[in-house]
Each structure stands twice: as C-alpha cells, then as structure tokens.
C-alpha cells in the first residue's frame, strides 16, 4: 500500500463536536451560529504533508500526528435562501471573524477555524466546552527527539518601554510563545540597542551582566530580582507572557534584545494542515467517523479561503505549501482572497513567530512572494512562486489580493510586485486579480466626509513603536471589499469575470525609488518634516537574512540556527509616485481619493521613543488641505485649498457624485454604495 493511499485512508478530521447552537439577531436574523471542535490526524508519510517542518517529530506511538481545533459555522436557518457559497475565514491571531452585511443578505455560509498553533494556551491539555467558545486555537504537538523536547535559540525584544517594573516579551501584542528552558540568565544574552534605523543599522551599548536581569516579575514596587516566572509549558497560558526584570529599570529610548534557549517548539505546520482538513471536511464529508453529521453537508457548491492582514499572509502561505489539495487529492477551495497581505506568514519553521509584522529580525519576506515561477535574482534563489505546487496538482483557486499604501511603506509589499532586484514588473498568473487602494492605510480608514483631522494621539502598530505624529488616514477599503465579495461569489459560482487588476507598475512609471524627488512629494506640507524622507527613516526595506545552514531560504522552513540572523544585504524597494497634493497615482478609483479633502498617506511619523522621526510602522497619516486661499498662503502650504478646488458645499458634492459615477462605471463601486456616499457627502459639514 502506498503512503498516499495510507494518508487518504487514515489522515483527516476524524471527529467533530457541536458544543452550542445560537440563533442570531439584527441584520443576522434568519441565521444561526454553531460552535464546536474538530479532532484530526496527519500521516507524516503522506506526500501531501511532506512540506511540514518537524512533522515526524510530533508523531505519537502509532506514527500519526494528532491535533484539535475549534470552529464556528454561521449558516442560514432556511436552506432555501442559502447561496451555496462558503467563506472559510482565517482568524487573525485567534480573533473572531464575521460575514459582511452583503454576504448575510446573499445567504452565504461562514466557516472559521483555528490555524495558529503558537497561540497562548496550546498546553497539550484537552479542551472543555467553555474553552471551545473562546478565541480560535489549534492544539498541536511539540517537536521531540527520543521523547525529549528539542531545544534552540529564540529571540524577543522589549521596545519603547520604560520604568522600574518588569516588562513582558511580546510579539505584536501577543505573548512570546516560547518559554525558556532555564532561569539561569548566564545561558541567555540581553543586548541594549541605542539606535536602530529602518535600513538595519544598529548601534549597541553592549550586553547586560547576567546578574543585572532576571526572568522574573518585579512590578508594583517589588524590588529586583522579583519573583521568578513559571517556565512549565503545561501551565500556559497562565504563565504567559514571559517577564524580564532589569536592575535599574527600562528606558524608552532603548531596545532590549534577548536571545535565550527555549524548549517548546510547536510543530506549527500542523495548524496549517488542520485548517485544510477542516475546510475539506465541511465541504465534502457527510459525517465524521462516529456518525456525527456534517451540519452543512450538501449545502456548499463553491468556497473560498479568506484572510485579512496576518491571516491574509496565511492564505498566501497556505497556497504556497500546496495545502489547497487535501490528502484525498481534492481541491479544498475554489477561491482565495488575501486582504492587505503581501507576504507569507512565518508558520512552517521551527521557532517561527506567526504574530510577527516584519519588524527587525522577524521572518516573513523569505523566498518567493509572487504568484508565478520567477527567479529571485538578488538573493540567488531558483524560480518558484506561490502557485507552483497547486499548478502541478491542478488545484489552484481563483485569487483576489488587495492592498493599501501602508503595506508598501512598512510591510515590504513591493517585493511581491517587482522582485528582489526591483527592476521589472513580475506578471500575474491568469487566475489572479490584484487591486491597489492608493494612499490608504492598513485595512482602510473610517471613511466619511470630514475635513478636520481626528486626534493624532494613537500608537504606532506593532511592538510598541511609540506615538504617531500625524492624524489617522480615513481613506476606506469598505466599498472595494463590498465589490470584491460579490465578485468572488460570482466568479466561483457563475464564472463571471471580476474587475480587471488595477495597481501601479514600473512600466507605466507609477513605481519609483523611495525618495521625495522620485516620488514627486511636495515640499512644505504642514507637519511633514524633511527628515522623514531620509533613507534611514523612510520605508522598511526587505532584509536578506542569514538564518543559518538549517534554514531553507526558498521554503522559509527548517530550523533557523543563527539568532539573531545576520543581515546579508538590504534589497531595493519601490513606492508609488504621487501627484502635486502628495496623493498616490495608480490603483482602483475610490471616491474620497478622487474628491480629496487632504493628503492621504500610507505612512505616518513616529513622534517619540527610540524610533522617533521614522516611519510609524504600518500606520497611515492624513494632512487636511487649508480651508481657504488666505489660510493656505498664511501657512505656506503648497496644496490648493478647499475653496480653490470646490468653491462651496454644492461644488464638493458635485465632485463626489462625479467620482462615484466614475468608480461605478469602472466596476469598482456598487450602486447602493454610490447612493450612500453621495448622500453622506450632501449631509456632510464640508464648507458649513
């Protein structure tokens, strides 16, 4: 019997449990929500699982790897109103996900399930029913050799923190998941950085004497060395986050970088395969091995995997790993939608940190980030793409991806467009559509027609980067998401072609070097200092890291055994060109950008801390136009005022109407959204 046959027969979701059924209300009236758990098996000998790092090291005595994950289904109570379309949504860091209003109206089915195996609480202890109703999780084994957990070096950082209290080791707001094997600080290294530039130049103040810090809590006036932390992995999540106590306390203008030995290496790729198997079960199975029926059996005619930001990066990694084919050889999803996600999540290497957001020394830009097979010239890697495996197995879905400007400036998006040498437009595969929302923030802004800037008192996203210096960018993605939601359903179920791709390219001279001069960014825009455009402050580039010989640079898998990694080179990047207002050109038509009230930036400026003056991670900014010519001249603003552009309220409403009609005609706005936007503009206080 071949390994493929064994895998198809044994490795799958074997049991589901339905823990609760809840009728929904409001706009979700007529729907019900089912919450439950799924239990499954993977065969390390099955070729469909060969891509998973350390899979054999997680096997039980019978040779199989087992997992548990929770799931939520949102379905119409009346099957007659069901569309037959299933959205398999990828939770972001375990959080809840819900269908959009148009999807409820259409009768779509929602499914979400766990995939991130390092979420706090992955203790190896069986879950109970109340726990299944919490955030999404997947419980996977840790890697062991001869029954003992493998160990290795990991790195964590304390950024923009100050005071005498101990500080937690965090990754994008979640606890660092890997516990030290020892509290002996002489077996770890704590280094102080006094300066870090966005292009990777670091100034250090040496290492901290092991006697001057501890893995301990020393808050609420408790003196150093505090109370030692609990490093028993079976006690998670109650013993997370890991705290570090420093004699004399922490300073906000320094970074504290810690390398230590950990021992709970989760087999992260099992979580990715669990997501595959749950999707396949609810699409294809009639019942589990015990006879429990699939609650949506026979109701799915088409499906799509979908994720936002971190979970959108998971969608790209899912496809790259070939996981859209299940162990029975079936295509799991017909569509895939990666939203504001331009890279692959780090979820298939030992000690990887899926919560990372491409800050310094974080994985995520390794290997191909583009769809077609393409040589990675600058890094000297062979031609490969996100769709290589599914192309070979003939299981590629129809793909949407859409982004905003924040992904360019802080999340290193241009690598996916122009490659590691940044000298040519990489073509899209025939089944991929790409949409770029020019000048927009990460995930889109709040929308609306308000000229006055909202308070700029908000934190830069990421690992405590400091406060933002400019007001938040309001440019929305809402209208495009409504269009693409309907378009994906129709593309899968009816074969209706979606809107054509729309994004900036080198060929049209819409992508340029990240300098003020090349971009054409105007001088004298209030609140935008000249120094932000310096190479050491502006645009996070891609680093070509050396993670050591155990790491596969194409697959981003294996074992990174050099920590922190060495920066081999800084790869070139490109950004969109801007108009005389500083707003980007290229991309899909959006009403607020075509009838602007100010300059909408995909970047912001860090106001304080060690990164002061640098781009504020992936926050967006907004600088309103002057109201009148007199105000503009008084401030020296080079941009035309509202008065010069629109004259009065009626003139602005007319501009919004013209923009909405243009976006509708080009297929990037629904008629209901057109009417709503025109009404909002008419009721706005612009010029009042």
């Amino acid at each position: 019997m071949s390994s493929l046959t064994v895998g198809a027969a044994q490795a799958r979701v074997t049991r589901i449990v339905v823990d609760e059924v809840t009728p929904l209300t409001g706009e979700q009236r007529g729907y019900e929500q089912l919450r439950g758990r799924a239990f499954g098996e993977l065969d390390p000998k099955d070729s469909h699982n060969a891509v998973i790092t350390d899979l054999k090291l997680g096997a039980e005595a019978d040779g199989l790897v087992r997992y548990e994950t929770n799931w939520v289904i949102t379905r119409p109570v009346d099957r007659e109103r069901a569309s037959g379309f299933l959205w398999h949504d990828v939770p972001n860091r375990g959080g809840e996900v819900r269908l959009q209003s148009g999807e409820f109206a259409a009768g779509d089915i929602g499914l979400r399930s766990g995939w991130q195996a390092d979420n706090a609480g992955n203790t190896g202890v069986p879950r109970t029913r109340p726990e299944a109703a919490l955030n999404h999780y997947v419980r996977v084994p840790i890697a062991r050799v001869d029954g003992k957990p493998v160990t290795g070096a990991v790195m964590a950082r304390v950024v923009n923190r100050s005071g005498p209290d101990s500080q937690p080791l965090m990754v994008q707001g979640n606890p660092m998941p890997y516990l030290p094997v020892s509290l002996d600080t002489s077996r770890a290294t704590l280094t102080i950085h006094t300066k870090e530039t966005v292009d990777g130049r670091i100034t250090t103040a040496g290492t901290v004497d092991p006697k001057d810090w501890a893995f301990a809590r020393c808050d609420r006036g408790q003196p150093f060395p505090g109370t030692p932390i609990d490093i028993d992995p079976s006690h998670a999540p109650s013993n997370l986050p890991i705290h570090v106590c420093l004699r004399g306390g922490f300073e906000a203008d320094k970074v504290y970088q810690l390398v230590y030995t950990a021992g709970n290496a989760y087999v992260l790729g099992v979580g990715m395969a669990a997501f595959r198997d749950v999707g396949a079960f609810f699409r294809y199975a009639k019942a589990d091995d015990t006879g429990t029926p699939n609650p949506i059996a026979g109701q799915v005619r088409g499906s799509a995997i979908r994720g936002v930001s971190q979970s959108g990066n998971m969608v790209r990694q899912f496809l790259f790993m070939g996981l859209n084919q299940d162990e029975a050889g079936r295509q799991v999803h017909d569509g895939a939608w990666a939203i504001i996600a331009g890279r692959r999540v780090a979820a298939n290497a030992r000690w990887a940190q899926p919560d990372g957001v491409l800050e310094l020394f974080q994985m995520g830009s390794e290997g191909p980030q583009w769809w077609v097979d393409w040589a990675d010239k600058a890094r000297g890697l062979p031609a490969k793409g996100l769709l290589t495996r599914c192309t070979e197995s003939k299981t590629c879905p129809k793909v949407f991806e859409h982004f905003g400007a924040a992904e360019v400036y802080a999340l290193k998006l241009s690598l996916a467009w122009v490659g590691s040498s940044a000298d040519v437009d990489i073509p899209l595969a025939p089944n991929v559509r790409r949409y770029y929302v020019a000048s927009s923030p990460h995930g889109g802004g709040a929308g609306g027609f308000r000229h006055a800037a909202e308070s700029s008192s908000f934190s830069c996203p990421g690992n405590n980067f400091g406060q933002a210096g400019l007001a938040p960018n309001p440019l929305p993605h809402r209208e495009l998401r409504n269009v693409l939601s309907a378009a994906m359903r129709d593309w899968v179920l009816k074969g209706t072609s979606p809107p054509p791709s729309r994004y900036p390219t080198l060929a049209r001279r819409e992508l340029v070097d990240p300098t003020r001069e090349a971009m054409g960014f105007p001088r004298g825009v209030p609140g935008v200092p000249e120094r932000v455009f310096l190479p050491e402050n502006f645009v996070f580039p891609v680093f070509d890291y050396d993670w050591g010989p155990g790491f596969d640079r194409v697959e981003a898998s294996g074992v990174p055994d050099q920590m922190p990694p060495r920066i081999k080179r800084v790869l070139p990047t490109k950004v969109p060109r801007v108009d005389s207002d500083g707003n980007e050109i290229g991309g899909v038509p959006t009403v607020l950008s075509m009838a602007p009230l100010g300059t909408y930036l995909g970047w912001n400026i860090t106001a304080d801390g060690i990164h002061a003056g640098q781009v504020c991670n992936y926050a967006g900014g907004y600088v309103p136009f002057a109201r009148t010519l007199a105000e503009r001249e008084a401030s020296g603003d080079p941009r035309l005022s509202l008065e010069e552009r629109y004259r009065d309220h009626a003139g602005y409403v007319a501009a919004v109407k013209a923009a909405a009609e243009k976006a509708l005609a080009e297929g990037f706005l629904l008629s209901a959204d057109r009417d709503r936007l025109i009404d909002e503009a008419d009721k706005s206080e612009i010029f009042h």
Side-chain angles (χ1 to χ4, degrees):
M1 182 179 293
S2 71
S3 62
L4 179 61
T5 303
V6 170
Q10 294 184 339
R12 64 200 184 282
V13 168
T14 58
R15 181 167 68 97
I16 65 167
V17 175
V18 179
D19 290 309
E20 58 189 32
V21 180
T22 306
L24 300 181
T25 60
E27 71 169 0
Q28 304 169 50
R29 185 178 179 84
Y31 269 76
E32 62 183 2
Q33 189 172 82
L34 292 75
R35 290 183 178 268
R37 290 162 286 152
F39 302 82
E41 301 171 347
L42 299 175
D43 184 353
K45 297 190 295 291
D46 192 299
S47 61
H48 296 89
N49 300 323
V51 69
I52 299 174
T53 293
D54 286 340
L55 186 60
K56 292 180 181 179
L57 304 187
E60 298 181 11
D62 62 359
L64 297 181
V65 175
R66 291 179 171 82
Y67 61 82
E68 173 194 337
T69 185
N70 63 347
W71 52 265
V72 175
I73 287 175
T74 308
R75 67 177 183 182
V77 176
D78 181 3
R79 291 184 56 176
E80 294 299 318
R81 59 170 292 204
S83 68
F85 194 77
L86 170 73
W87 295 101
H88 192 179
D89 281 307
V90 184
N92 186 302
R93 297 176 175 85
E96 287 292 305
V97 189
R98 55 165 289 174
L99 295 175
Q100 298 174 214
S101 58
E103 293 158 1
F104 280 112
D108 293 347
I109 300 170
L111 166 66
R112 54 189 185 268
S113 59
W115 67 274
Q116 189 178 339
D118 69 328
N119 274 349
N122 187 1
T123 64
V125 177
R127 298 275 175 164
T128 62
R129 191 214 61 80
E131 290 175 300
L134 300 176
N135 279 5
H136 296 282
Y137 68 89
V138 56
R139 184 169 63 86
V140 306
I142 63 173
R144 299 175 184 271
V145 174
D146 297 330
K148 297 181 180 179
V150 301
T151 61
V154 299
M155 189 191 73
R157 287 155 58 89
V158 175
V159 184
N160 204 48
R161 297 292 187 91
S162 62
D165 289 354
S166 59
Q167 294 297 334
L169 300 181
M170 308 294 289
V171 185
Q172 179 59 10
N174 281 349
M176 175 69 175
Y178 303 115
L179 292 161
V181 297
S182 171
L183 297 179
D184 183 357
T185 54
S186 68
R187 299 171 59 181
T189 303
L190 181 62
T191 306
I192 298 177
H193 294 183
T194 56
K195 184 175 182 180
E196 292 181 345
T197 64
V198 299
D199 53 358
R201 288 173 287 158
I202 298 168
T203 304
T204 70
T207 60
V208 180
D209 189 301
K211 297 184 181 64
D212 290 334
W213 69 276
F215 287 110
R217 297 200 65 142
C218 52
D219 47 11
R220 293 181 293 276
Q222 186 177 15
F224 179 86
T227 302
I229 64 168
D230 177 4
I231 58 174
D232 185 340
S234 68
H235 295 170
S238 62
N239 59 349
L240 293 174
I242 304 163
H243 270 249
V244 172
C245 186
L246 181 65
R247 191 191 303 273
F250 294 84
E251 299 177 54
D253 60 352
K254 294 180 174 62
V255 169
Y256 301 83
Q257 184 166 289
L258 177 62
V259 176
Y260 63 94
T261 301
N264 54 327
Y266 302 116
V267 185
L268 295 175
V270 171
M272 302 287 290
F275 193 91
R276 171 197 66 190
D277 292 352
V278 168
F281 176 87
F282 285 114
R283 177 161 189 181
Y284 293 115
K286 293 182 179 179
D288 70 8
D289 289 6
T290 69
T292 301
N294 171 3
I296 55 173
Q299 299 179 41
V300 180
R301 294 187 292 116
S303 69
I305 179 176
R306 176 174 60 179
V308 180
S309 191
Q310 181 222 30
S311 51
N313 296 326
M314 182 277 195
V315 171
R316 298 166 70 91
Q317 175 72 3
F318 181 88
L319 297 177
F320 176 77
M321 292 175 68
L323 297 179
N324 202 44
Q325 182 184 38
D326 73 1
E327 294 185 353
R330 300 171 298 192
Q331 181 168 326
V332 180
H333 294 300
D334 307 291
W337 187 0
I339 301 172
I340 58 172
R343 63 179 179 92
R344 290 156 41 200
V345 75
N348 192 33
R350 189 183 296 176
W351 311 118
Q353 299 176 17
D355 277 340
V357 293
L358 293 186
E359 293 167 8
L360 190 62
F361 300 137
Q362 290 182 349
M363 292 180 191
S365 290
E366 291 75 20
Q369 307 296 331
W370 38 84
W371 296 102
V372 299
D373 288 358
W374 195 263
D376 194 337
K377 293 187 293 185
R379 293 186 285 196
L381 302 178
K384 200 164 188 177
L386 299 181
L387 300 180
T388 299
R389 287 186 171 91
C390 70
T391 298
E392 293 173 352
S393 63
K394 297 181 173 55
T395 57
C396 288
K398 297 175 170 65
V399 176
F400 283 167
E401 59 176 7
H402 87 256
F403 321 93
E407 286 74 69
V408 173
Y409 288 95
L411 297 174
K412 312 187 182 187
L413 173 60
S414 81
L415 179 68
W417 292 356
V418 296
S420 59
S421 55
D423 59 357
V424 64
D425 296 309
I426 299 177
L428 291 175
N431 59 315
V432 176
R433 300 293 183 274
R434 173 180 292 161
Y435 308 104
Y436 181 68
V437 187
S439 290
S440 64
H442 190 62
F449 300 97
R450 292 179 296 276
H451 172 249
E454 295 183 21
S455 169
S456 60
S457 180
F458 70 100
S459 296
C460 302
N463 193 18
N464 303 294
F465 253 62
Q467 293 296 111
L470 298 174
N473 183 340
L475 200 77
H477 289 188
R478 172 184 175 184
E479 290 78 27
L480 179 63
R481 287 196 62 168
N482 289 343
V483 166
L484 296 185
S485 172
M488 177 61 80
R489 183 190 309 109
D490 288 347
W491 199 13
V492 168
L493 296 183
K494 302 176 184 178
T496 305
S497 294
S501 295
R502 191 78 68 85
Y503 60 97
T505 66
L506 291 171
R508 291 193 296 269
R509 299 181 180 179
E510 295 162 336
L511 289 177
V512 296
D513 291 334
T515 67
R516 179 197 286 275
E517 292 73 20
M519 294 165 61
F521 197 90
R523 295 182 182 274
V525 175
V528 180
E530 183 70 25
R531 66 173 177 154
V532 75
F533 294 101
L534 295 175
E536 68 174 23
N537 293 332
F538 194 55
V539 184
F540 291 12
V542 172
F543 299 122
D544 183 10
Y545 291 121
D546 178 6
W547 293 97
F551 184 76
D552 187 319
R553 298 173 63 213
V554 176
E555 294 291 326
S557 63
V559 183
D561 39 27
Q562 179 162 292
M563 197 66 65
R566 180 174 64 90
I567 298 175
K568 298 168 61 177
R569 62 179 64 84
V570 180
L571 299 181
T573 190
K574 299 292 182 181
V575 300
R577 195 155 50 86
V578 302
D579 62 18
S580 59
D581 294 323
N583 288 318
E584 294 178 350
I585 62 173
V588 302
T590 56
V591 170
L592 194 55
S593 64
M594 289 189 287
L597 296 168
T599 298
Y600 306 104
L601 301 169
W603 46 272
N604 208 308
I605 303 166
T606 307
D608 57 3
I610 189 173
H611 299 112
Q614 297 179 4
V615 167
C616 179
N617 211 336
Y618 54 93
Y622 170 59
V623 185
F625 298 139
R627 295 179 181 275
T628 66
L629 171 61
E631 287 182 13
R632 177 169 80 86
E633 290 179 337
S635 66
D637 194 332
R639 307 164 302 159
L640 294 178
S641 65
L642 293 183
E643 179 184 66
E644 294 170 279
R645 293 168 188 271
Y646 308 114
R647 187 175 177 178
D648 55 20
H649 181 76
Y652 184 69
V653 174
V656 168
K657 183 175 181 180
E661 295 293 352
K662 176 178 173 60
L664 177 70
E666 295 182 15
F668 290 101
L669 190 66
L670 300 179
S671 57
D673 283 334
R674 173 201 58 187
D675 297 343
R676 173 182 57 81
L677 290 171
I678 294 172
D679 182 62
E680 288 179 2
D682 187 50
K683 294 177 179 177
S684 73
E685 296 184 357
I686 305 301
F687 286 97
H688 290 332

